[in-house]
Amino acid sequence: MANENENAQETARKKIILSGIQPTGTFTLGNYLGAVRNWRQIQNEYQCYYFIADLHSMTIHIDPAKRRQQTREAFALLLACGIDTEKSLVFVQSHVHAHAEMGWIMDCCSQFGELSRMTQFKDKSAKHPDNINAGLFTYPSLMAGDILLYQADYVPVGADQTQHLEFTRDIATRFNHTYGETFRLPEGYFPKAGARVMSLQDPTSKMSKSDTNPKATIYILDDEETILRKFKSAVTDSEAEVVYREGKDGVNNLMTIYSAITGESLDDIARDFAGKGYGDFKEAVGHAVADELQPIRDHYAELMNDRQYLEAQMRDGAERASRIANKTLNKAKKKVGLLLPQ
Ligand code: AMP
Ligand code: TRP
């Protein structure tokens, strides 16, 4: 009977989704259409926890004042994008002490060999040979702690983070095996609707925050004029035909963006723009994107002007997150034989 009850409770429980984003600069249209917009859309269906991964950002050197500013901005951006603190839990990672503590427990469960095999570690240490710090090496252990602390069911992650999620499952399995059932095993969450947005200047590579060509990337705080200008200079081809076809990477990208925003199918878009030049189409895409981003920009400006409100939201998020995280942390501490203060 007790078991049946537990099963019923388990079925009624909203599944938990957790994700973190590093405070390393304004989001791009790619972040928005590929991730954050979807985070907003799933808030009713799932219990969502979203946090700004400021501890993870320490693995790369950033000027402290800039880190502080970017953390505030990233937090405000999540809210501006429609993440609702009444429905979801939004917080800054370092405000919840359990992350650092759990990170240490996870460090002690991680093997040198497996951490050495992480492609992100290899990539980032090649990119920053002058700062191969221990945090960069144990980054996946900290991330595993983030996820396991909240007993997350699903973690939406991009392709670059799937190895870390696998690693999280490995650690959790090992821990549960050694110390008894403690952590839920998280799964990847891959939304159907997540669009992959490519660079406007090189449509064979992903639109990215770190692109050195400013015309390649739309930032979600770009104003209308900037957005229209960037779309106007987007790379296409010489066919002057708005149709989604292999080899037309530039046009395919514009159509993907337009479709993601308007909800129109690729066929409908091709029909609507048949016989029209790329100039018209680029303008339509630019306007659609600018209209979508306008309310976000306005809301963001309001939030950044109301520091007290923003700080109150951060405090509230941290308190609520700490209560949940501390439960799991204490459970894990007991399991490994750390004495809890009485
Ligand atoms: P990053 O900015 O690389 O830390 O990515 C944060 C999230 O945004 C991840 O879930 C990525 O999959 C997503 N993302 C980043 N760039 C793009 C893009 N160009 N298209 C679609 N999704 C993206
Ligand atoms: N490592 C992730 C990234 O760089 C950010 C992150 C930290 C994260 N902890 C997480 C994502 C936990 C999902 C779950 O994108």
Side-chain angles (χ1 to χ4, degrees), residues 26 53 57-58 73 75 77 112 158 180 210 244 246 259 272 301 319 323:
T26 317
S57 82
M58 287 183 62
E73 288 173 359
F75 189 90
L77 265 178
F112 183 86
S210 52
Y244 195 98
E246 206 182 320
S259 166
D272 290 351
E319 269 171 30
R323 273 198 295 276

Side-chain angles (χ1 to χ4, degrees), residues 7 19 70 88 96 104 107 129 200 217 252 256 277 282 324 329:
N7 285 344
S19 200
Q70 287 184 338
S88 301
V96 180
W104 177 251
D107 278 348
L200 297 186
T217 307
N252 293 350
T256 303
K282 285 175 171 181
I324 300 165
L329 177 65

Side-chain angles (χ1 to χ4, degrees), residues 18-22 51 53 56 139 143 146-147 155-157 161:
L18 171 137
S19 200
I21 191 158
Q22 290 200 45
F51 66 94
H56 280 91
Y139 180 113
M143 179 161 161
D146 298 338
I147 297 170
V155 182
V157 283
Q161 299 294 321

Side-chain angles (χ1 to χ4, degrees), residues 56 75 98 105 130 140 168 199 250 265 279 311 328 333:
H56 280 91
F75 189 90
I105 296 179
D130 54 337
T168 303
S199 152
S265 71
E311 280 169 4
T328 314
K333 281 180 161 176

Side-chain angles (χ1 to χ4, degrees), residues 253-270:
N253 186 35
L254 296 180
M255 289 180 78
T256 303
I257 295 172
Y258 193 68
S259 166
I261 289 182
T262 61
E264 275 185 63
S265 71
L266 297 173
D267 285 345
D268 285 347
I269 298 170

Side-chain angles (χ1 to χ4, degrees), residues 201 210-217 219:
Q201 292 298 314
S210 52
D211 206 308
T212 47
N213 183 345
K215 291 198 287 188
T217 307
Y219 294 98

